[in-house]
Amino acid sequence: MLKAGARAFLHLFGLPAALLALWWFFAARSDSFYYPTLNEILSAFGETWFSSRIVDDVLPSLWRLAVGYLGAVVLGVTLGVLLGSHRQLRALLEPVLEFFRAIPPPVLIPVLMLFSGIGDSMKITVIIVGSVWPVMLNTVEGVRAIDDVLADTARCYGITGAARLRRLVLPAASPQIVAGMRQALSISIILMVISEMFASSSGLGFAIVQFQRSFAIPEMWSGILLLGLLGFALSLLFGLLESRVLHWHRGLRQSQKGEK
Amino acid sequence: ACGSDSGGGGKSGSGKADITLGVIPIIDIAPIKLGVKKGFFAEQNLNVKLQESQGGAAIVPAVVSGDYQFGYSNIVSLLVAKSKGVPVKMVSVGARASDDELDDGSGQLMTSSSSINTVADLAGKKIAVNTLKGINEVAVRTSLEKSGVPGDDVSLVEVPIPNMPAALKSGDVDAAMMGEPFVTVAEKQGAHPVPVSYAAMGKQMPFAGWFVAERYAADNPEVVKRFTTALEKSLRYAEEHPDEARATLDSYLKLDEGVSAAVTLPGWDPTTSRDEIENLAKLTVDAGLIDDLKPLDALLDQ
Amino acid sequence: MTSTDVKSAVRADSGLLDVRGVQKTYYGSGRTVEAVRDLTFSVGTGELACIVGPSGAGKTTLLKCIAGLLPPTGGEVRLGGARVQGPPPGMAVVFQEYGRSLFPWMTVADNIALPLKQKRTPKPRRAALVAEALESVGLRDVPHAYPWQLSGGMQQRVAIARAIAYEPDVLLMDEPFAAVDAQTRAELEDLTRSLWRNLGMTVLFVTHDIDEAVYLGQRVLVLSGSPTVVMEDVAVDLPAEREQLSTRALPRFAELRAHVYEQVQRAKTFHTAPAAGASA
Amino acid sequence: MTSTDVKSAVRADSGLLDVRGVQKTYYGSGRTVEAVRDLTFSVGTGELACIVGPSGAGKTTLLKCIAGLLPPTGGEVRLGGARVQGPPPGMAVVFQEYGRSLFPWMTVADNIALPLKQKRTPKPRRAALVAEALESVGLRDVPHAYPWQLSGGMQQRVAIARAIAYEPDVLLMDEPFAAVDAQTRAELEDLTRSLWRNLGMTVLFVTHDIDEAVYLGQRVLVLSGSPTVVMEDVAVDLPAEREQLSTRALPRFAELRAHVYEQVQRAKTFHTAPAAGASA
Amino acid sequence: MTLQPRRAGPPPAPHPRSRTRTGALPEPLLGLLGLVLLAGVLEVLPRTGVVSADYLPPFSEIADALVGVAGEESFWQALLDTAEGWGYGLAIAVGVGTGLGLLIGSVEVLRRATASTIEFLRPIPSVALVPLAVLVYGTGLESTLLLVVYAAVWPVLLQMLAGVRDVDPVARDTAASYRFTRWARLRHVTWPTALPYLMTGVRLSASVALILAISSQLIIGSPGIGKEIALAQSSNAVEEMYALVIVTGALGVCVNVAARALERRVLAWHTSVRTEAVT
Ligand SMILES: Nc1ncnc2c1ncn2[C@@H]1O[C@H](COP(=O)(O)OP(=O)(O)OP(=O)(O)O)[C@@H](O)[C@H]1O
Ligand SMILES: Nc1ncnc2c1ncn2[C@@H]1O[C@H](COP(=O)(O)OP(=O)(O)OP(=O)(O)O)[C@@H](O)[C@H]1O
Ligand SMILES: [Mg+2]
Ligand SMILES: [Mg+2]
């Protein structure tokens, strides 16, 4: 038991620790202004984030992130199911969606500002608009790849409409949907940062940009560190969700390995 | 990459030197374009290449790393950078405020709201600035304090300058600190200026400058010298021939018909005096962006 | 035609199945297969007909056309007077690919209960039906297991349990007992017959086991090799009460068995160019 | 032990299969199943042994343990003297889930050729083997089709073709003829026997068809219901030359058949708690 | 489909494409229709005053500007520069992501050991790395490439990891029982299974790479469409800016068309493609 715990710990922190050590080693002998030593970053981290910034910057960011991410997931799955199950609709809309998908957020944001102002709603819109794609594309592909025998079975037994969606389409596509959601998670964080670079006065991204602009480089790195930690923490949470939603898939895929 | 001799970036001496300048595509840098065209840099045996970036995020590291030899920035950012120990120093003034605190092409507060006419009317309002913790913030806070309004009695938000007219019109912000050509654009759309501007901080006050990496300046004093000489000549020429400077604008900006004739040009007197810059530095200290005047000395010294 | 219309039409004569000139060609990437050439037959309400034919003859294809899952290239299928254009209500299908027809994200019990939920069977009745169906296929112990935790034969029996719990009017079964052991198979055969007689369903039963076809059916349809036509329609004139040992011991059983066997053997070489349809 | 060691050991007595006290328990999400309790038997080089047992008895599990695909929870499997820890060389398996064991992204011919490529069979020989194997399972016409374009029985025959083209020393087959029609089945049975006799392979053949087990095997191992033990090891003392009609007509065949049938019937209720007794 | 039952005889030879319902347009036309509708919306929105034409000009004016832009040689040079940064970046990202994905995905220990690091690195925005990139690589192509690759590698890597996990156990066992070498297993089992996932990953990456190529030009000012956009922005050349944005979007549409065509070829066997193909 203890051995398994130790191994899990090693897996979680082994590589990060090694990388940090590398940073430590190289930063210590570089005199570049832009690579502060790990010491500086860590002390900046403490000073910067264990302060009122938690409330002023981190919490608003997290709120936008949560709303934006959930919005993207809901929208992505909805669109994905629609496009995945209706070939004609997909043919009609795919080019339009691909068009928007290719437009960089820094260019898109000004346009969005025209419609949604410069408040939180704009930032949430940016997060949604940017991170809906992995969810949507994966859902489309997941829905398209539903096993034909399974689909026939559902049709025969009159499993249509909402029940079909809930009992067949979503579960069957869930491995792909979850893969898309995982992608979208980090993209949401990135877009949270990018959206907060525009018309903002609070937020994690805002803070990082300010640090960058005011040449507070250790603080900036500490912000990036925080982003990474945030991503890591959220991915752990996500892992819990994943193991609930996909436990059948795990089981199915590992069933032949026997134990575990 | 341009130029044939191996001195790219140039060792000191009077040989031909390739230099790359990091600039922002705004009207302030018209003299350089003009100067290059006029051959003032070639006279100094300098082969100049201009690299346009969006702002300090790319220019400062590029200068520090030696990818660019000279960079253009507002002085407040340079002071802040210096206060954090960024190894750069300023070699010349780049642009100055105008004489009219209601007509400054580089930094002028505009509003569409008819109820805002004086600085005092701004109390409690939302103001868009290009970058927080930068020169615009200093300008706004300084003007407010001067008018007896507490400097923090407004909320500042960051909006890129090109988006300011739209933000003004939609009422997302009450006023916006913008530069040309957007001052002219906003004016055409019915906005009017409020006496908050670079000129309001000090008429003809230098607000932007050219900087080099400390190491480069130490290794290539000769090139720096030649650069400043050519630069001075260019700035003076532009100052004295505003029509030619205006004509230059159309060569690197894609302005609408007639805009280049209408925009307000900044001042370009290159004379660099510590006192003038110290004024701005003091205001920067007052606004809380730097602690004291030490960065100023470091920026100008040697 | 609205779905209620279909429903009432089906109720009127819910089992009468009419296959008229059904033809099915698969057009695939570079491979065109005429799987079914021309099938015409009908199965009366409450009849139990078995279908035998060589592997690849098009039995599964036929069943899918009847179930409304595959549009025939030519001809039509009518059920209770209405043309089949999608899966008609009150029909259950046991697929040959039993493993893939179970929802891997649901437990065995949920797999069986889901179609009942769709039929709006009340909850207590549903639970009873699920338990009963599992019991009757000999899987009382596994309601909470997932399909992929079961052996092949167990999975197949779950698919059967799902179909019988549904209490369909028309039951289509595609080699439903292929993966179970001999004894279970015999039990399931008897189960099928008793359900059929008690519920008055129309049953179409595809099998490879000729003994099974004769033992189970009132008729045995012998299909030719691909491209498929009905080669013979054998009426099974065995007594209605059948019992594994005694019925199979009847001389008539042996006769019928031999006859069908002969037909199936002939089926493979029925067409002059036996492989013509399958070649690309 | 290096893989060359294993290889040479296997070559020495490549078919001797020794199953010693194998025990296998599946630990799943909340469901723990003791699939195989204690199996001990051995199959000599070049022997053909059939395995019968109730559905869910653990036949597939046993086969996977022998193939080195599943580590037994207890006991061990030895092949040619060496302990099986991964799939040994020269072994081919026909899986019960034939449909999923074919690679859908490859044509039928490629599916069969790929293992040969792995064995570094030279190209001309490979092509010949593929064509021959397809021919012998009656699928001459479909080398360029994809598995999902084939009927269930055809897919199963492709899986068989792949195994026989491989020319293994040890052949494990898990209900390999479940989806094919009676006549094809008979042909495949004869094919299996002739290949076995010509190539001297060791064959382990799981089936539900008791006739088939007796007809094919030199021995029939009867497994009990889960948790599984070997209930009986029946030696099939029929003449080595077998023929579908005449062999099955032998009185000894009927005796053996009846005996095994009885055993299988007993197998289901072998353990004191007869969990799986179907009641319908 | 005809209503008359058919008698035996030669097959009725319906057109293989007959599945498209009567009255429906062929797919490429439908897609074009979608784009035309979008253009219509873009025309109507500013004309009806929903948004001000000063900030979002009607499509016709954007199209005019587009024609103007297309006449300039500098535009084509910029397009070429963008395509270069994007193409190289995408190629590297897809190569690295696929390779790493296969490697990490098929070695359990690696998967466990790298999971936390991957999750840590992914949410770091490329734009935050601008100073770093400039410091190390200057303002040329290398910087753009660094930013593009950093952002675009994750979608491919993650999709690969998910795809590698999805291998059917029976297929895996089959490969194992025939003693496929590690390489053969990768090549013939893992790779085809992960391919559909990878296709999605590449499509995601392609747009991420394009976005980053343009954004980094926008910020760093290395030559390309992004720089042109920045210039148009700072000159208030609104129509021209949107014209360039439309070019960007069109690039995205092209990638998708190519990806779909590729998919029809390489995934013809996959359920998603084959069930939609003619039946
Ligand atoms: N999806 C498909 N695409 C192309 N051809 C197909 C498809 N499905 C079946 N076929 C072909 O149609 C023919 C009939 O197949 P079908 O599955 O109906 O046979 P079957 O009678 O059920 O055979 P079996 O007893 O082996 O299950 C076969 O030749 C097969 O190759
Ligand atoms: N992956 C698995 N996880 C959990 N339990 C399993 C798994 N695979 C098989 N079992 C259980 O192990 C027992 C034996 O299964 P196995 O597949 O070996 O039976 P079998 O003899 O092959 O049956 P059949 O003749 O029906 O194929 C069954 O009770 C089954 O539920
Ligand atoms: Mg079939
Ligand atoms: Mg089995």
Side-chain angles (χ1 to χ4, degrees), chain C residues 151-153, chain D residues 56 59-61 96 174-175 206 208:
Chain C
S151 77
Chain D
K59 303 178 293 297
T60 300
T61 305
Q96 186 176 14
D174 198 352
E175 305 183 27
V206 171
H208 280 316

Side-chain angles (χ1 to χ4, degrees), chain E residues 199-226:
Chain E
M199 288 296 293
T200 306
V202 171
R203 288 176 63 207
L204 283 169
S205 270
S207 58
V208 169
L210 180 60
I211 286 173
L212 257 296
I214 298 219
S215 303
S216 73
Q217 291 161 1
L218 216 106
I219 296 167
I220 302 178
S222 39
I225 298 280

Side-chain angles (χ1 to χ4, degrees), chain C residues 186-262:
Chain C
E187 285 161 11
L188 290 174
E189 282 164 12
D190 291 335
L191 173 70
T192 307
R193 271 193 72 88
S194 76
L195 282 172
W196 164 64
R197 298 187 68 181
N198 297 341
L199 300 179
M201 310 182 278
T202 308
V203 181
L204 216 59
F205 191 101
V206 171
T207 178
H208 281 315
D209 187 332
I210 291 162
D211 287 60
E212 183 171 83
V214 173
Y215 177 74
L216 273 185
Q218 293 178 300
R219 284 161 66 194
V220 177
L221 291 163
V222 183
L223 302 189
S224 75
S226 178
T228 311
V229 297
V230 178
M231 239 181 52
E232 196 170 320
D233 186 345
V234 184
V236 179
D237 47 2
L238 293 172
E241 284 302 335
R242 298 185 191 175
E243 199 272 329
Q244 290 287 350
L245 291 183
S246 60
T247 303
R248 286 179 197 255
L250 293 174
R252 182 64 188 146
F253 184 89
E255 272 171 45
L256 284 166
R257 192 188 165 286
H259 178 70
V260 173
Y261 192 84
E262 208 169 279

